[in-house]
Amino acid sequence: MIAGAARADGALLLDAALESIPYGFCVWSADFHLVMWNKHYLDIYGFPARRIEKGMTLEAVVRLSAEMGNHPDQTPEEFLAAYKADLLTNRSGLRAKVRELVDGGRTIETAHVYSPGLGWVVTHEDVTEEIASSEIVQRRKWELEQQNLRLNAVVNNIGQGLCMYDARGRLVVCNAPYARIYGLPERLLQSGTSLEDILAHLFDQGMKAGGDRDAYLRWRRDVSARGEFGKTIHELNGRIILMQQHPMKDGGWVSTHEDITEQRQQEARIAHLARHDALTELPNRIQFLEEMASIEPALTRGHQAAVLCIDLDHFKDVNDTLGHAIGDKVLKQVAARLLGTTRETDELARIGGDEFSLLLRQVAGPADAAAIAERITQAIGTPFNVDGHQVVIGASVGIAMAPADGDTTDQLMKNADLALYRAKADGRSTFHFFERGMDEAIQHRRTIEAGLRLALARNEFRLVFQPLVGLKEDRVTCFEALIRWDHAERGTISPADFIPIAEETGMIVQIGEWVLREACQVAMTWPTDARVAVNLSTVQFKNKRLFETVVAALEESGLPPTRLELEITESLLLADNEPTLATLHKLRALGIRISMDDFGTGYSSLSYLRSFPFDKIKIDRSFMRDLEQKGDSLAIIKAVIGLGHSLGMTTTAEGIETEEQLAAVREQGCNEVQGFLFSPPVAPTRSSPCFARKKTTGCAAPSDPH
Ligand code: C2E
Ligand code: MG
Ligand code: MG
């Protein structure tokens, strides 16, 4: 706007030109008075037209500007000083830009040029939008850079190899792990490298990828061409790499490469654990059954094999007395010894706590299997030394021959198990072949086992008594209590049939307690010089309360201890067991007599007789049976009787059935006899067991004559 009343046409023209300029415009004289301006100038700074006039000082305009709220972060003086300095230093005519903050947060850019005739010609442009849009671009760029940086960090820091291919199968980008996993040289990592080139290099390095090289390349191409997901395993230099190819929309793909060697090893270890026993490292039941199953077809064709079920004897005692840590060490040594008895083609497994199985894939016949079973019982029967402990166990072995005893895994395992059962029943540390009919025998045994659990409650036990006759006294001195079981369906069952089972299951403890109480009570009904003998099982001594049980039976019945005899067998003294001997001594100290029953049948070590001061030795009846045929039986009887005399022990001959036997033992100086010649075991009577032996016919049954 050109101020002044008179306007020339030229001035009007200038005015119009000024107003048409799309930015603010003003001119300052050399001494900083306003010369001219246009409307944009007023609008930009919000100056009311009436307050701007020609000749106004820069100072006045700046103050007005401050009043309008412009450059709020500077005082008018500061602004003025800076502005003037800027104009003055750039007087040379160079354009300089000054940014001002005006009210409303807008940014105005000024450019000035000094013209010597006119002064400073200044243009003012609102650049708020321009700046804003360029800032957005800058920000986007920055964000993109950040994102790329982050992506780069992620891509190179994940363990997996990652690479991207375009639709033509050319490498676009790959990360460091990719190069590392495959040991790829730098030249193959450049973008543009073809997948074919990379794979060719890897195959040259010895990579395996299932199938041959061409087939693999074809497969990769097909998967890419069809845009499908693909997955395969590469093997290179002992490493296992999982490759997965994920299609992209543009026809290219991203592949991931993961070194799964450790994972595979772990899996292999887990698979191994699932099929092996952790303690001995031997195959377990699962593995064993699978191996068995794998030879079934050969067995059906008549191929011979043998299955051995091996069970340790007395292993529970090791655990109970020495603890599980020692037990474990014994098992490890057992496994090693068993392995030593096997051949390359055999399969040995641990299938339970102290149970092992052995598959002999190649045998000519039962003799081969027997030889190995023999080796096993010997190897395990040899004492073990574990942490300074001498451990004596044994092994019982059951053998099933294939295909004679079955050609399926199930049958063979079952039959070998039945044979094992028999080997155990045969006194352990031995082996037994499967025989037809074993099944029924086992069934019978199981019935007994089940019935035994109920027998006490059902009152199915009763005692019978067999007299022992003193030869010097010529009368009955004692009655031996013998148990009978009246089974509801099977009739009376002999103790020989159920006592061993009661011992194995531990039920003998309760049954024995009942026998003791019952025998003492019955004996109380007899004349006071008749004793009662009660058989005690070795298993009963394992019960710490045995002594108390005996005392209780005596107290309850009122029977004096001197009228009680306890019969034990040699097996009790097999293990030199301090607590057992202590119990025996305590019982004997009460006045109870202790007899050694069935002497000569077991281990027949005369040293047992020295380990405890027995009151009586009962010579087993097998010697009487053989008396007439075998001369050495008489010699043994003679020796035992002699020994008994010298040790101050009574000797009793069991199983006297004939007058000849009686005469023979009497002649040797035997003190006491027992047998059918006098009386079989009979039901107890209240008042008159037989006391006087009839001279030739034996003793009358202790039945009540009344
Ligand atoms: P044992 O203690 O040696 O008992 C003697 C066995 O010999 C009895 O058999 C008896 O009937 C039999 N016997 C007696 N005289 C003769 C004879 O002249 N000839 C023949 N051939 N045999 C004769 P039983 O009653 O069948 O008992 C067998 C075994 O069962 C007993 O042998 C004993 O070891 C055990 N037993 C019996 N009752 C009990 C019991 O209450 N507790 C325990 N732990 N064992 C018992
Ligand atoms: Mg006896
Ligand atoms: Mg006996």
Side-chain angles (χ1 to χ4, degrees):
M1 238 170 271
I2 298 169
R7 297 184 172 209
D9 284 351
L12 273 174
L13 208 62
L14 181 60
D15 219 6
L18 281 181
E19 292 311 319
S20 68
I21 301 173
Y23 39 77
F25 174 85
C26 69
V27 176
W28 296 99
S29 64
D31 56 352
F32 297 112
H33 285 86
L34 190 59
V35 177
M36 63 175 83
W37 64 94
N38 68 356
K39 187 168 179 299
H40 280 299
Y41 175 70
L42 302 182
D43 292 346
I44 280 176
Y45 293 104
F47 297 151
R50 57 186 165 79
R51 299 202 46 189
I52 295 291
E53 52 194 32
K54 192 169 182 224
M56 262 177 95
T57 62
L58 178 59
E59 198 180 347
V61 173
V62 168
R63 216 167 282 124
L64 175 65
S65 187
E67 197 182 310
M68 294 296 124
N70 297 329
H71 38 81
D73 48 351
Q74 280 174 309
T75 61
E77 289 72 31
E78 282 167 350
F79 181 85
L80 191 65
Y83 193 72
K84 265 191 180 168
D86 197 49
L87 293 186
L88 291 172
T89 46
N90 290 295
R91 182 190 273 266
S92 57
L94 283 175
R95 267 174 77 101
K97 287 189 173 183
V98 176
R99 282 186 175 184
E100 294 172 26
L101 251 182
V102 302
D103 188 28
R106 305 187 70 78
T107 304
I108 310 299
E109 192 173 84
T110 60
H112 59 268
V113 60
Y114 184 73
S115 138
L118 207 55
W120 282 276
V121 177
V122 186
T123 57
H124 306 256
E125 193 177 356
D126 186 335
V127 291
T128 314
E129 255 90 68
E130 197 182 307
I131 288 173
S133 64
S134 84
E135 270 176 3
I136 286 169
V137 171
Q138 286 299 320
R139 179 144 195 93
R140 287 231 178 97
K141 206 173 141 204
W142 183 82
E143 277 172 0
L144 215 60
E145 273 167 15
Q146 291 301 307
Q147 207 168 331
N148 278 345
L149 274 176
R150 280 199 293 267
L151 209 63
N152 204 40
V154 170
V155 163
N156 283 306
N157 283 303
I158 53 171
Q160 285 191 3
L162 201 70
C163 46
M164 186 191 281
Y165 284 88
D166 63 16
R168 292 179 307 139
R170 306 251 161 211
L171 183 65
V172 178
V173 66
C174 68
N175 69 353
Y178 173 69
R180 196 173 56 236
I181 287 173
Y182 290 101
L184 285 170
E186 194 61 37
R187 68 181 166 81
L188 290 173
L189 302 174
Q190 306 306 317
S191 56
T193 310
S194 74
L195 173 68
E196 262 83 358
D197 285 350
I198 292 177
L199 289 177
H201 170 82
L202 291 177
F203 276 114
D204 288 346
Q205 297 299 304
M207 183 175 89
K208 291 188 193 68
D212 66 16
R213 172 194 294 234
D214 291 341
Y216 181 72
L217 283 175
R218 246 192 333 272
W219 176 76
R220 283 293 292 265
R221 265 198 298 268
D222 284 358
V223 171
S224 315
R226 289 201 298 269
E228 287 173 351
F229 169 76
K231 184 175 174 176
T232 189
I233 299 282
H234 294 164
E235 276 182 62
L236 180 63
N237 299 328
R239 310 302 296 173
I240 302 167
I241 302 149
L242 171 68
M243 192 289 294
Q244 300 190 72
Q245 180 168 319
H246 310 263
M248 292 193 303
K249 281 203 186 82
D250 66 358
W253 69 88
V254 169
S255 60
T256 57
H257 305 258
E258 191 179 356
D259 187 331
I260 54 166
T261 317
E262 271 79 37
Q263 188 184 325
R264 279 292 162 102
Q265 284 166 348
Q266 279 265 328
E267 283 166 8
R269 178 85 195 127
I270 290 165
H272 178 88
L273 281 177
R275 298 174 162 276
H276 289 78
D277 162 45
L279 180 69
T280 61
E281 288 284 327
L282 287 177
N284 64 10
R285 178 187 286 271
I286 298 170
Q287 169 87 13
F288 187 80
L289 294 182
E290 271 186 25
E291 292 295 332
M292 291 267 306
S294 73
I295 63 158
E296 276 181 11
L299 300 180
T300 1
R301 290 195 302 272
H303 175 82
Q304 283 220 55
V307 180
L308 280 67
C309 273
I310 305 158
D311 192 281
L312 302 184
D313 305 322
H314 315 297
F315 181 71
K316 196 176 168 298
D317 298 347
V318 177
N319 268 341
D320 290 350
T321 55
L322 299 174
H324 287 265
I326 300 277
D328 281 356
K329 287 184 180 171
V330 172
L331 283 173
K332 278 176 143 175
Q333 289 194 22
V334 165
R337 285 192 195 178
L338 287 177
L339 264 182
T341 65
T342 62
R343 303 159 303 180
E344 192 107 318
T345 51
D346 302 337
E347 177 87 11
L348 175 69
R350 180 176 175 217
I351 57 167
D354 62 349
E355 277 176 66
F356 297 82
S357 285
L358 178 62
L359 168 64
L360 307 178
R361 289 192 183 86
Q362 283 170 14
V363 282
D368 280 1
I372 290 191
E374 182 73 48
R375 283 217 298 271
I376 289 173
T377 52
Q378 271 177 16
I380 307 304
T382 310
F384 291 80
N385 193 321
V386 182
D387 294 351
H389 297 280
Q390 165 112 332
V391 177
V392 182
I393 52 170
S396 299
V397 184
I399 309 169
M401 296 299 299
D405 300 335
D407 54 14
T408 65
T409 303
D410 265 10
Q411 267 177 330
L412 288 166
M413 288 300 281
K414 188 172 142 245
N415 290 346
D417 203 42
L418 290 173
L420 169 67
Y421 222 81
R422 173 62 71 83
K424 288 252 173 203
D426 280 0
R428 299 161 190 247
S429 293
T430 180
F431 66 89
H432 210 290
F433 279 94
F434 168 76
E435 289 162 8
R436 312 249 154 235
M438 270 185 176
D439 221 356
E440 291 92 83
I442 301 293
Q443 205 46 50
H444 169 73
R445 200 200 127 104
R446 297 217 164 109
T447 319
I448 291 197
E449 218 178 287
L452 264 183
R453 294 182 198 283
L454 304 166
L456 264 181
R458 290 181 176 170
N459 254 329
E460 289 177 345
F461 292 122
R462 67 186 160 88
L463 291 183
V464 289
F465 294 87
Q466 188 179 32
L468 279 72
V469 179
L471 291 181
K472 206 169 97 221
E473 299 90 336
D474 200 26
R475 65 171 178 86
V476 172
T477 48
C478 178
F479 287 92
E480 179 174 4
L482 295 159
I483 192 167
R484 296 292 177 265
W485 177 16
D486 297 323
H487 192 280
E489 288 125 41
R490 293 175 180 260
T492 301
I493 303 177
S494 148
D497 284 341
F498 71 85
I499 293 284
I501 300 172
E503 286 177 333
E504 265 174 50
T505 55
M507 279 180 277
I508 191 70
V509 173
Q510 286 157 281
I511 297 172
E513 197 174 330
W514 177 85
V515 172
L516 265 167
R517 291 215 307 269
E518 181 75 7
C520 291
Q521 264 160 28
V522 172
M524 277 302 283
T525 65
W526 300 336
T528 51
D529 55 355
R531 290 190 298 271
V532 65
V534 173
N535 293 283
L536 286 187
S537 155
T538 302
V539 179
Q540 285 175 269
F541 279 84
K542 288 194 181 146
N543 184 329
K544 295 191 176 62
R545 291 191 50 254
L546 177 65
F547 178 78
E548 286 73 22
T549 305
V550 175
V551 171
L554 290 171
E555 281 173 358
E556 267 173 43
S557 60
L559 189 76
T562 47
R563 288 184 61 197
L564 179 63
E565 290 187 9
L566 295 176
E567 297 191 5
I568 62 157
T569 53
E570 285 166 287
S571 62
L572 182 65
L573 301 172
L574 241 186
D576 187 19
N577 190 327
E578 284 301 324
T580 299
L581 282 176
T583 308
L584 283 176
H585 278 291
K586 267 162 69 183
L587 290 167
R588 196 163 178 271
L590 289 180
I592 297 170
R593 289 166 181 245
I594 309 290
S595 309
M596 164 70 88
D597 201 358
D598 305 338
F599 189 74
T601 47
Y603 306 87
S604 302
S605 169
L606 296 178
S607 67
Y608 295 142
L609 292 179
R610 271 195 280 134
S611 61
F612 186 79
F614 289 98
D615 296 286
K616 182 184 284 189
I617 308 169
K618 296 183 79 176
I619 306 165
D620 192 70
R621 66 172 187 269
S622 57
F623 295 100
M624 309 307 141
R625 208 173 44 223
D626 297 341
L627 202 56
E628 277 121 59
Q629 294 91 26
K630 289 189 188 162
D632 51 359
S633 281
L634 185 65
I636 292 169
I637 292 171
K638 200 171 158 181
V640 175
I641 293 171
L643 195 72
H645 279 307
S646 58
L647 291 171
M649 300 174 185
T650 302
T651 47
T652 304
E654 294 183 332
I656 300 292
E657 293 179 0
T658 66
E659 289 293 343
E660 289 73 30
Q661 289 167 338
L662 174 63
V665 296
R666 186 197 289 275
E667 194 186 321
Q668 298 306 325
C670 187
N671 309 105
E672 205 175 50
V673 285
Q674 177 182 10
F676 294 166
L677 178 63
F678 307 95
S679 168
V682 290
T685 57
R686 304 222 132 243
S687 51
S688 59
C690 97
F691 283 95
R693 188 179 78 85
K694 288 184 189 147
K695 273 275 176 290
T696 49
T697 53
C699 180
S703 53
D704 196 339
H706 306 296

